[in-house]
Amino acid sequence: MLTLEDTIYPRLKRKPTPAELTLLFTPSTADLHHICAVCTHGTPRLARLIHLVIARHLRGFQSLRDIPRPIQRHIAASVGLEGFLPQLPTQDHRRPYTEHTQWVRDHLHFTSFRTYGVQELHRVLESCCTRHEDLVSIINAAVEHLHQLQYELPGFTRLVKEATHVRSRVNRSIFDRVVTHLTETDQEKLNRLLEEQPTGGKSNWNLIKQEPRKASLSQLKVALGHLQDLEDITPQVNLKMWVSNSKFEQFVREARSLHRQALGRLTLHKRYTLMVALLEDQQARIKDDLGTLLVKRMFRLRNAALTQLKALQERHQGHTDMLIEQLRQITVLLADKNPEGVLEDIQKVIPKPEDTLLDIDQYQGRSRNNFVPFMLWGYQQNRQVLLKLLEVVPITSTSDNKDLEEAIRYVLEHRSERDPNLSTFNIDPRFKEVTILPLLPLGWVPEVWRPFVFQHNGREVIVVQGHPLGLNKMYFEMCVLMHVAWELRSGDLCIEGSNQYANYTRELVSPQEMEQELPVFLKQMNLDGTPRKMVSTLKARLQDVARWADVQLKSPEMSGTRIKGETFTLSRQEADPEPAGFIEHRQRLATGLAQQERTVLDALFDTEHL
């Protein structure tokens, strides 16, 4: 049951603190001038002043008998009218109260509820119900919106009733919209999920409600098969794209809580909407697991390569001597004046050229402090799984830069080729002179990867008209996968239909909402509307904070901070000394609570209802 205390709807505390009385219920000089101008007698003047102060706080009106006495005494004392408090109940009758309300609205610039009416209230609530599903959130958003519009608040019970009605209407429109996107085939698939199994086992709906297993390398085929089954029966509605997250999550929770029979008793449109929401959420969970598996696997390979690099750097001398000895033997064979049989002798010195090339790459990486070649062995063990994940998981860019998407497409197209080197361009046949047509952009490849990804002549990358001649297939695949993992973490890439790796740009405020809410934001932040003045004001505020921080950091005993070199340390500050009589007061409090068989938590709980 929703209560007033659950929301931000303004209310009066029975026993406010002195600070709250001073802050919230002290009349201003303008209030006194207006009251003195319209009323000359003491008791009516006090009554009207109390109504004015309370109306400003509550954004509405309340009878004098419902206003707590401490608040009445504070308002009377602040203007020197305490002597008229005993006669105050005589003013709480309808005619003066009714006449006074319009004057208060004019003074506070309120628009009465009767003026803007139920239709305007429904318009405000509809915008709130579109974004929120929880009734508390809807009430809070509506109260804040009505406050910004300078509208008088309706009664709490009326507001809850209207919010419930509008939320139901908004949800029904969503249900109707979902059904318009369903074909007859989609409806038949959803209906089959609720059919009772002839064997008496669980229905397909109960099986779908079960939590999907965590995707792992050993269970990858099972997870991919489950994802494919869900994609086959899920209608192409994309419900999550055009409803708020709070509504979508509520639909999913409701669908997960209903069994087959209970779901069948719902209206047709609501039933289909809940089923579509759960199916899309189950797909999102599996895609989350697959994306996490890809990210964790690539970072595990990277960390293992860094560990191996560090270990080899500690014992690199013997490895280097082995490579130099092989080079010496080859040089001796080449220096022999008899060239016959040299190739066979070199093959005896290097029986496995691919292993020797890997050793040379690792030596170069070690000498340049580069971890890239040490990832190759681990990647070869996981290559099939990682490329399968790259193929199944729908990865897209969240910005206008599509270079990595092109690289992913290129890797998947050429993953079955046996040639270890890949071409990066074609020759344009329309021109007599050699003119290349790049197959994909490569400017995003970082420097640490370039010596291994791009073909080189031993010292430098081979470039044709400013474009690399070719790519090392394995290293390029590793580079693409590593960057996919990085950018999934940072949000530059997203997985369509995922929750954890969703496109964050779709959660940003739309340009229309920004234009609508910008004046309110500028007013709340006390900023000028022009962009140049706004930037200059924020810079000035940042500079003031920076100067304050500089002063604080120069006195570590005050701020508890210490800077040594590039290290910033924040230490615990010493506690303030206990005030005089604190120990005696604590002992009396403990004794009193023990006599009443109560705890400090009981006392704190009671103070919330004062």
Side-chain angles (χ1 to χ4, degrees), residues 164-183:
T164 305
H165 172 71
V166 174
R167 183 181 64 173
S168 300
R169 189 177 66 194
V170 170
N171 286 345
R172 284 196 299 269
S173 66
I174 294 175
F175 301 155
D176 295 340
R177 183 178 176 184
V178 169
V179 174
T180 59
H181 285 75
L182 296 179
T183 63

Side-chain angles (χ1 to χ4, degrees), residues 52-68:
L52 174 61
V53 174
I54 296 302
R56 178 186 289 113
H57 177 68
L58 295 181
R59 293 283 165 170
F61 296 92
Q62 196 163 4
S63 61
L64 290 174
R65 63 176 175 271
D66 295 329
I67 300 175

